[in-house]
Amino acid sequence: METGRSDLRVAIGLEARKLARATVTRVATLAGLILVLVTTAGGYAAAMHTGDTDLGRKAASMVTSPGWDGYTQLGVTSVSATMLLAVGVVMSWSVGREFTEGTVAGLFAIPPTLRSIATAKMVATLAWSVLLGAGQAALLTTAGLLLGLGAAGAAGCFATLLLVAALLSAGALPVMWAATRWRGYLAGIGLTLAILVVTNLAAGFGLGTYAPWSIPVVWATRREDVSALLLMAPLMVAAIGAWMTLRSWDRLQLGAD
């Protein structure tokens, strides 16, 4: 038992270092931070101060109310899209690269079990995604304060954005199964795009409470109409995705399709 835990710690450390050094992680992190800042802070500023322009009118149509409520709702929309895309791509790369670069064969020869390696990949990517979500939440909350919003609602904005980011990150775990099942990161990225399309369509047709990945967004924007219990849906998807990924790694065989 102790040996298994030690192997898992080693594997987590290894996967964390891979993520930290990977170009895809750095690009995803930078893009996630910049995009949410531009779309949220920039959009809110345009809505409040340039309402007589085309850009201002378009931005104003997305801000349902002034103050922290409207700002947070706009931020939730930006965070949800950027987190799903960024996390899905990084999760797909973390698993898929082992197959596309041919390094998966070497994993059979090292002490950590394949299950431990898969678990380490999930732990490392989820830890990174939560840090990214916290960074986005902190950046947007600071930007809101600089835009002149009162300090009273800052903590609520940060907590809501972080919660949505964390739930959506966990809900993206099935892409790791897809990258394993079809032996490459393109399958995981394809599933990520499919999730984004389903989420946007569900929200657009008023069916947001029926898609696990749109539930956190609907809850954050219409909290009085959506039960907090529904937030368990993305966690259930995460649990299923983790189980399917571990099961696939348990059954990996060299040379098998």
Side-chain angles (χ1 to χ4, degrees), residues 54-69:
D54 289 340
L55 177 61
R57 283 189 288 271
K58 289 179 181 178
S61 66
M62 300 180 65
V63 179
T64 57
S65 60
W68 280 110
D69 287 342

Side-chain angles (χ1 to χ4, degrees), residues 12-67:
I12 291 174
L14 213 71
E15 292 300 328
R17 287 193 291 274
K18 286 181 186 178
L19 282 181
R21 296 170 182 171
T23 300
V24 65
T25 309
R26 297 175 183 178
V27 172
T29 301
L30 189 60
L33 293 173
I34 292 175
L35 286 174
V36 296
L37 180 63
V38 171
T39 55
T40 303
Y44 187 83
M48 294 297 105
H49 304 295
T50 60
D52 56 341
T53 65
D54 289 340
L55 177 61
R57 283 189 288 271
K58 289 179 181 178
S61 66
M62 300 180 65
V63 179
T64 57
S65 60

Side-chain angles (χ1 to χ4, degrees), residues 3-253:
T3 301
R5 290 178 181 175
S6 177
D7 286 347
L8 180 57
R9 286 196 294 268
V10 170
I12 291 174
L14 213 71
E15 292 300 328
R17 287 193 291 274
K18 286 181 186 178
L19 282 181
R21 296 170 182 171
T23 300
V24 65
T25 309
R26 297 175 183 178
V27 172
T29 301
L30 189 60
L33 293 173
I34 292 175
L35 286 174
V36 296
L37 180 63
V38 171
T39 55
T40 303
Y44 187 83
M48 294 297 105
H49 304 295
T50 60
D52 56 341
T53 65
D54 289 340
L55 177 61
R57 283 189 288 271
K58 289 179 181 178
S61 66
M62 300 180 65
V63 179
T64 57
S65 60
W68 280 110
D69 287 342
Y71 182 81
T72 301
Q73 290 176 10
L74 185 60
V76 164
T77 302
S78 298
V79 166
S80 64
T82 56
M83 285 299 294
L84 276 176
L85 184 57
V87 173
V89 168
V90 171
M91 284 184 171
S92 300
W93 173 87
S94 177
V95 171
R97 65 174 292 276
E98 304 290 0
F99 300 97
T100 58
E101 297 178 12
T103 55
V104 67
L107 299 181
F108 285 83
I110 59 178
T113 64
L114 292 178
R115 171 175 281 262
S116 294
I117 293 171
T119 301
K121 289 181 179 295
M122 288 188 282
V123 171
T125 52
L126 284 176
W128 163 78
S129 66
V130 171
L131 288 175
L132 175 58
Q136 289 182 329
L139 187 63
L140 292 186
T141 302
T142 301
L145 292 171
L146 293 176
L147 286 172
L149 298 175
C157 174
F158 177 86
T160 299
L161 294 176
L162 178 55
L163 178 60
V164 169
L167 289 173
L168 291 177
S169 298
L173 277 174
V175 305
M176 300 188 84
W177 165 78
T180 303
R181 172 63 180 81
W182 286 283
R183 306 293 196 267
Y185 50 76
L186 290 181
I189 293 174
L191 181 56
T192 299
L193 296 177
I195 289 172
L196 279 170
V197 171
V198 168
T199 301
N200 289 330
L201 287 176
F205 285 97
L207 301 173
T209 55
Y210 295 94
W213 304 279
S214 60
I215 286 174
V217 179
V218 177
W219 171 81
T221 55
R222 302 202 317 267
R223 198 168 302 182
E224 65 282 355
D225 299 329
V226 179
S227 171
L229 288 176
L230 283 177
L231 295 178
M232 293 298 295
L235 295 179
M236 292 175 63
V237 170
I240 293 171
W243 174 76
M244 293 173 66
T245 301
L246 291 174
R247 186 168 179 267
S248 294
W249 277 74
D250 281 338
R251 298 184 174 189
L252 275 184
Q253 294 180 7

